[in-house]
Amino acid sequence: MATSKRIADAPAFVLHRYDWSESSLILEVFSRDHGRLALVAKGAKRPSSNFRPVLLPLQPLRLTWTVSTAADADIHTLKGAEWAGGHVMPTGDALLSGYYLNELLLRLLARDDAHPRLYDAYATVVRILASEHGEALQPVLRAFEVLLLREVGVLPALDLQTATRAPVADDGRYLLVPEGGLRLAQIDERQALSGRQWRALQAGLDDVAPLTAMLPAVASAAGELKPQLRQLLHYHSGLQTLRTRQMMMDLQSLL
């Protein structure tokens, strides 16, 4: 007979939600200490439900759920949810950027695999998205993408040439590619970064607070990094274009 255990008051964010029945929802959740998991919120769609105003994306929550020990139990049962406070919902481009980050986490994180450092970085990015610091948006997104790729184990060392393991030269030009890692760039590959820039990114990654430490290096190279990171993210997620990125492009075409 299957038994269950209770996880109480766990820091978490809702990444996505979809209908399960006329009155209930399935939640895709990113929790700090338990990783990505699926929860059923029974009765959450009813007007009288305490869950209804709380279970929103890009909001810091404290969740309580029961975990079934049955071997085939992939969805657990939500028992409590409280807003942890701190900021309001992002709007405009920042809101779309938040949905983009959520899609990345859904595509790249395995279930039940905790990433507390990534969670803390995500919480910081969400706070920035909810603030008025629009000029920081692109560097913060690029820094989070680098950290995410490292956390899921698909980012090579950024201070070494991947194929030869030779250190990058400060004045050399290098490109990050999906199947080859970090390699010497050709003359016409203008998106390449200098070895000095790649070393600065690696130093930021090695810091105890990598998201913040990477920001200066990312800010000076955000334009060149964006297409390289996009290629890696699409390659490892198995998609040519993420849904949220396509939505952004469609909206921009209407302006």
Side-chain angles (χ1 to χ4, degrees):
M1 180 176 179
T3 59
S4 64
K5 64 178 181 178
R6 187 179 182 90
I7 305 297
D9 203 29
F13 285 86
V14 172
L15 300 178
H16 185 59
R17 43 186 272 178
Y18 52 92
D19 293 342
W20 185 55
S21 67
E22 290 186 2
S23 62
S24 301
L25 295 170
I26 296 291
L27 309 174
E28 289 283 354
V29 167
F30 182 33
S31 69
R32 188 182 191 279
D33 301 315
H34 305 276
R36 183 172 72 87
L37 62 150
L39 302 176
V40 56
K42 296 180 179 179
K45 294 165 62 178
R46 294 177 183 144
S48 60
S49 173
N50 292 331
F51 289 151
R52 189 177 177 117
V54 177
L55 299 177
L56 301 174
L58 306 175
Q59 293 293 290
L61 305 175
R62 310 287 292 195
L63 301 181
T64 297
W65 66 87
T66 55
V67 179
S68 175
T69 57
D72 58 349
D74 294 327
I75 302 177
H76 311 300
T77 303
L78 184 68
K79 293 297 184 181
E82 294 182 359
W83 181 55
H87 60 77
V88 297
M89 181 75 77
T91 59
D93 289 344
L95 178 62
L96 289 175
S97 296
Y99 287 147
Y100 165 69
L101 295 185
N102 287 358
E103 185 176 1
L104 288 181
L105 294 174
L106 286 168
R107 294 287 183 183
L108 294 173
L109 291 186
R111 288 198 188 277
D112 303 314
D113 188 9
H115 293 274
R117 287 187 304 178
L118 185 65
Y119 178 93
D120 292 342
Y122 174 83
T124 298
V125 174
V126 170
R127 286 196 299 271
I128 294 172
L129 293 179
S131 73
E132 298 298 326
H133 301 297
E135 71 282 357
L137 184 59
Q138 290 301 317
V140 165
L141 291 177
R142 302 291 82 78
F144 184 82
E145 289 169 346
V146 173
L147 184 57
L148 173 60
L149 288 166
R150 197 273 297 274
E151 283 289 312
V152 299
V154 297
L155 185 73
L158 300 180
D159 54 358
L160 300 174
Q161 298 181 58
T162 303
T164 65
R165 308 306 291 169
V168 297
D170 283 351
D171 295 329
R173 306 288 293 177
Y174 303 90
L175 201 69
L176 187 61
V177 295
E179 295 186 359
L182 195 64
R183 63 163 174 79
L184 195 64
Q186 303 297 319
I187 294 176
D188 59 346
E189 292 177 319
R190 298 182 180 180
Q191 295 166 352
L193 302 182
S194 71
R196 185 178 293 105
Q197 289 172 302
W198 287 118
R199 285 182 187 276
L201 284 168
Q202 184 62 53
L205 272 176
D206 294 338
D207 194 88
V208 294
L211 182 77
T212 304
M214 273 193 292
L215 284 179
V218 171
S220 67
E224 293 82 3
L225 268 176
K226 185 174 181 178
Q228 297 180 66
L229 295 175
R230 182 184 301 172
Q231 276 193 318
L232 259 69
L233 291 164
H234 288 174
Y235 178 83
H236 291 293
S237 65
L239 296 173
Q240 289 188 340
T241 304
L242 294 167
R243 291 179 182 178
T244 44
R245 189 178 293 281
Q246 185 62 53
M247 184 187 303
M248 291 178 191
M249 292 188 294
D250 291 345
L251 289 173
Q252 290 173 354
S253 70
L254 296 175
L255 299 178

